[in-house]
Amino acid sequence: MEITKNPTIEDLIVKIKNYAPRADLDVVRLAYDFAENAHDGQFRKSGEPYIIHPLSAAHYLADSKIDPTIIAATLLHDVPEDTEVTLEDIEKNFGSDIASMVRGITKLGKLKYRGVERYIENLRKMFIAMAEDVRVMIIKFADRIHNLTTLEHLPPPKRYRIALESLEIYAPIANRLGMDDMKGELEDLSFQYVYPKEYQRIKTIRDEKLAGKEQYFQQVIEKTRVELGKASIKPLAVYGRSKRLYSLFQKLTRKNNEIAKVYDTFAIRILVPSIADCYAALGILHNLWKPLKGRIKDYISQPKPNGYQSLHTTVFSDEGEIVEFQIRTQSMHDEAEYGVAAHWHYDEYGARLPKREIKWAQELVEIQKDILNKLSDLEAMKVDFLQTRIFVFTPKGDVIDLPEGATSVDFAYHIHSDIGNHCNGALVNDKMVSLDTQLNNGDVVEIIVDKNRKGPSQDWLQFAKTHTARLHIKNNLKDQEKIALTRWLKAVLPKK
Ligand code: MN
């Protein structure tokens, strides 16, 4: 999604009406008038009237068909922080739901510290906001995306700081929430400020690879439409997308910078009404063009760990050109592009809060109070909660969500600290494995417990990956030391 140029409130209303014809849009207009009035006389560093900023963020969310109530809160998001108007005034005018979103954003805004402390403080606040109300994060991302598009008006050190924070904290959180579209936007906008040379290099590589190909791709898209039509498949959309720069940068780094090995610099997306249509469309493509070996991926029957679903195939298209196709239904598409935010797309039956998806955020709030105090903790935290996740199962079929690289020990502590402290081994898919064996997505894990076990051993710290497990192990080792010391004291001290 692009940031709208010269945004107006009238265009915003029209945009929302298109996807929410029956919604009450007075609240959006009132929020605009209220915010414009409050910010009157304030200007952005770019010289524009301040209201352009919340209005742009609101447009960005309307482009993603977000619920109008969230858009109203977005228009108001900087009012309490930057003007005389208070949160109480907002509550009086707009009710407690909108006021509580604005309060969430305002809490995120005030940072007392500098440097590393500021970084940690910020992360901590975002985790809390996320656990309390994920809508606040949706607004915060739109706010940040617009700020990133106007970074050139700030002094270079500040530019760098904001871009780095977006790349290191905001983007991974957006990713964790499945908001691929916002993640991509945050990354690409920050990329040029954090790694300017690499940004230029990657941009050149992509531009060279795609130069002069527009017409060719257009023809392939057209042909695809015609062939699907012949088979009575009515695609909702067939369109091309070029790979985002930061994601191309990461992929090239993994592939030793060999652009020839990156097949999805440009891909064609096909959105169809049903899952049956997805497979039918795949068959039609393969009948038309020869697929490359090993490049057919069925993420519908086997979704990626983050839930991503689609069919992928890479074919030798007309004139032998290699083209990747991604086939999915509309709901798979929404989930892939907007993640948690997809649950806040407008629907006339009222949006619903996706409880399950943010359980990990609540968990994080619980433990971050004790441990998030220095930079090394921050790094560990990022490993725990922002890395790619795997999903494994208990023998009863309950899903446990762990970071990639986690072991049976992490699994055991995730279930309960007692299970962790007394675990003696594990059965993974019915096979006995050592405790340091890394788990894979889809594994069924059963922990073998020894009630007589004294507690964890020191060397578990070499392979325990999650903070929960490491914290329990360390605490328990300390306790064991204390017990041993008491015993020793009892033994050596003279009896009374
Ligand atoms: Mn703002």
Side-chain angles (χ1 to χ4, degrees):
M1 225 64 78
E2 297 272 295
I3 286 287
T4 305
K5 300 219 164 60
N6 307 318
T8 66
I9 178 64
E10 284 74 26
D11 293 347
L12 180 68
I13 300 283
V14 171
K15 212 177 257 182
I16 301 173
K17 258 194 189 142
N18 272 327
Y19 64 87
R22 263 169 284 182
D24 168 24
L25 297 187
D26 288 349
V27 67
V28 176
R29 188 174 284 279
L30 284 173
Y32 175 82
D33 292 341
F34 191 91
E36 192 192 29
N37 199 25
H39 290 297
D40 189 35
Q42 294 179 339
F43 293 89
R44 299 271 290 173
K45 286 273 182 328
S46 62
E48 288 176 311
Y50 196 90
I51 190 67
I52 293 296
H53 164 64
L55 185 58
S56 299
H59 265 276
Y60 183 85
L61 293 181
D63 285 330
S64 308
K65 302 185 170 51
I66 291 289
D67 193 88
T69 327
I70 301 179
I71 292 180
T74 305
L75 288 166
L76 296 164
H77 82 270
D78 278 329
V79 166
E81 168 117 46
D82 295 342
T83 77
E84 301 291 302
V85 181
T86 64
L87 268 165
E88 288 67 41
D89 298 330
I90 289 180
E91 181 152 7
K92 237 181 275 158
N93 284 277
F94 297 94
S96 59
D97 189 40
I98 288 179
S100 102
M101 285 187 261
V102 178
R103 182 175 299 114
I105 290 286
T106 310
K107 272 197 233 160
L108 282 179
K110 283 178 194 142
L111 292 174
K112 289 172 279 187
Y113 306 104
R114 299 207 144 261
V116 169
E117 284 78 17
R118 183 188 168 100
Y119 209 59
I120 291 169
E121 163 90 351
N122 204 355
L123 191 59
R124 186 200 302 263
K125 283 184 167 175
M126 276 202 270
F127 285 139
I128 294 170
M130 203 159 23
E132 280 175 1
D133 187 348
V134 82
R135 296 177 301 173
V136 170
M137 293 309 295
I138 296 174
I139 299 171
K140 191 64 201 169
F141 290 142
D143 170 46
R144 178 53 63 96
I145 286 168
H146 181 252
N147 282 335
L148 285 169
T149 63
T150 57
L151 269 196
E152 82 248 32
H153 304 290
L154 298 182
K158 208 168 175 191
R159 273 183 219 168
Y160 178 78
R161 184 181 64 67
I162 293 174
L164 184 67
E165 185 186 62
S166 307
L167 201 57
E168 293 258 302
I169 298 199
Y170 282 65
I173 292 179
N175 183 44
R176 189 70 177 78
L177 293 170
M179 301 168 166
D180 204 60
D181 187 61
M182 289 202 187
K183 180 204 83 165
E185 208 64 52
L186 287 161
E187 283 179 348
D188 276 12
L189 290 168
S190 313
F191 188 18
Q192 54 188 310
Y193 295 103
V194 179
Y195 306 108
K197 275 191 200 139
E198 294 294 51
Y199 176 82
Q200 279 312 326
R201 181 174 73 87
I202 300 295
K203 200 168 173 322
T204 310
I205 290 176
R206 188 179 77 175
D207 291 352
E208 275 171 7
K209 174 122 181 174
L210 299 179
K213 298 255 176 78
E214 285 93 4
Q215 216 187 342
Y216 172 80
F217 286 127
Q218 217 39 59
Q219 282 165 8
V220 175
I221 288 171
E222 209 34 61
K223 188 162 177 177
T224 304
R225 260 200 208 107
V226 171
E227 293 296 324
L228 291 176
K230 279 187 199 162
S232 308
I233 297 174
K234 297 187 184 70
L236 306 166
V238 181
Y239 66 97
R241 75 104 185 89
S242 42
K243 199 170 184 64
R244 287 186 183 271
L245 288 173
Y246 192 69
S247 134
L248 182 59
F249 170 55
Q250 289 173 309
K251 194 155 197 174
L252 276 170
T253 309
R254 285 199 302 272
K255 306 245 172 196
N256 296 319
N257 280 309
E258 291 175 70
I259 183 71
K261 289 194 181 154
V262 179
Y263 295 124
D264 65 344
T265 317
F266 181 89
I268 295 175
R269 274 205 187 126
I270 305 176
L271 269 60
V272 290
S274 71
I275 290 179
D277 288 335
C278 291
Y279 289 101
L282 184 73
I284 286 161
L285 294 177
H286 287 171
N287 194 32
L288 201 58
W289 296 301
K290 192 175 152 43
L292 267 75
K293 258 204 186 114
R295 300 276 316 167
I296 306 166
K297 289 170 194 155
D298 183 352
Y299 296 122
I300 292 181
S301 65
Q302 287 177 314
K304 285 191 186 181
N306 63 4
Y308 176 84
Q309 286 190 298
S310 280
L311 298 177
H312 287 193
T313 186
T314 310
V315 303
F316 294 103
S317 180
D318 292 348
E319 296 152 45
E321 189 83 44
I322 291 174
V323 179
E324 179 172 305
F325 283 89
Q326 303 169 349
I327 311 164
R328 49 175 80 154
T329 63
Q330 183 72 52
S331 69
M332 289 174 196
H333 178 72
D334 288 348
E335 199 66 47
E337 296 283 290
Y338 309 115
V340 166
H343 301 253
W344 288 104
H345 283 189
Y346 176 77
D347 78 81
E348 42 191 323
Y349 306 107
R352 59 216 143 83
L353 182 65
K355 280 265 189 268
R356 198 176 65 84
E357 282 86 343
I358 49 167
K359 213 180 98 191
W360 60 272
Q362 261 129 20
E363 201 178 289
L364 200 143
V365 171
E366 285 307 306
I367 65 169
Q368 55 87 24
K369 289 176 207 141
D370 313 317
I371 53 177
L372 193 55
N373 291 311
K374 51 183 195 293
L375 196 60
S376 60
D377 293 337
L378 178 72
E379 287 306 317
M381 209 69 170
K382 277 156 76 178
V383 170
D384 256 24
F385 288 95
L386 299 179
Q387 224 189 24
T388 318
R389 311 291 290 184
I390 57 165
F391 295 91
V392 294
F393 300 94
T394 69
K396 281 184 189 160
D398 291 331
V399 184
I400 306 289
D401 164 7
L402 293 168
E404 213 168 35
T407 61
S408 311
V409 168
D410 295 302
F411 181 92
Y413 278 104
H414 188 99
I415 306 276
H416 197 277
S417 58
D418 258 355
I419 309 252
N421 289 335
H422 295 104
C423 78
N424 224 19
L427 288 168
V428 173
N429 307 325
D430 293 327
K431 279 202 196 85
M432 195 65 185
V433 299
S434 60
L435 284 173
D436 62 350
T437 309
Q438 294 198 352
L439 300 175
N440 291 308
N441 209 31
D443 281 347
V444 178
V445 186
E446 186 174 355
I447 298 297
I448 299 162
V449 171
D450 177 1
K451 288 254 160 59
N452 298 318
R453 194 187 170 96
K454 285 199 305 279
S457 69
Q458 182 77 38
D459 63 329
W460 290 7
L461 289 171
Q462 315 252 331
F463 51 79
K465 190 118 195 199
T466 58
H467 237 289
T468 322
R470 299 182 65 81
L471 190 71
H472 283 301
I473 295 169
K474 282 183 195 158
N475 285 346
N476 201 284
L477 289 172
K478 266 187 230 149
D479 291 348
Q480 283 184 43
E481 256 171 50
K482 263 187 236 154
I483 294 168
L485 185 66
T486 323
R487 276 212 198 104
W488 180 77
L489 285 172
K490 270 188 187 156
V492 295
L493 288 176
K495 295 198 173 64
K496 280 175 198 159

